[in-house]
Amino acid sequence: MPTISMFYGIVIRMYREIGGKHNLPHIHAEYQNDEVVVSLNGDVLEGQIPNKKLKLVLAWLEIHNDELYANWQLLSNGERSFMIDPLR
């Protein structure tokens, strides 16, 4: 699963999910041993990470929404995703 960003100990990944259980654009955010799946609209689809870290992920998602949708489109077309700047 390609890593597209990392910040404050959080790893953000996005991958092509043909026939997967989440049928909408989303990211996977991992922090330590926890993982949350968040739609690009900001809805938590599955899992959990500490609330403070989730708030950072949601802020990052809002800032980089256009880039995230562009990555989703690339992956949907079988192309490579690109890195997105971390939250600073």
Side-chain angles (χ1 to χ4, degrees):
M1 184 179 336
T3 298
I4 59 171
S5 196
M6 291 184 284
F7 51 89
Y8 302 110
I10 303 165
V11 178
I12 306 290
R13 295 193 165 109
M14 180 184 279
Y15 64 97
R16 188 173 179 199
E17 196 176 54
I18 299 172
K21 62 182 174 178
H22 305 117
N23 294 320
L24 56 137
H26 63 277
I27 59 167
H28 297 251
E30 298 173 12
Y31 178 73
Q32 296 179 349
N33 293 326
D34 296 322
E35 180 180 352
V36 66
V37 179
V38 182
S39 76
L40 298 191
N41 295 328
D43 297 324
V44 173
L45 302 176
E46 182 179 342
Q48 64 184 31
I49 60 175
N51 197 42
K52 288 181 181 181
K53 299 300 180 177
L54 179 60
K55 287 180 182 181
L56 293 173
V57 169
L58 295 175
W60 177 84
L61 197 148
E62 181 73 25
I63 293 166
H64 297 287
N65 203 263
D66 290 341
E67 294 163 281
L68 288 161
Y69 274 103
N71 255 347
W72 187 263
Q73 189 63 44
L74 287 170
L75 290 167
S76 295
N77 292 333
E79 300 176 50
R80 288 182 160 228
S81 61
F82 57 87
M83 293 294 290
I84 298 176
D85 288 338
L87 191 61
R88 300 182 201 272

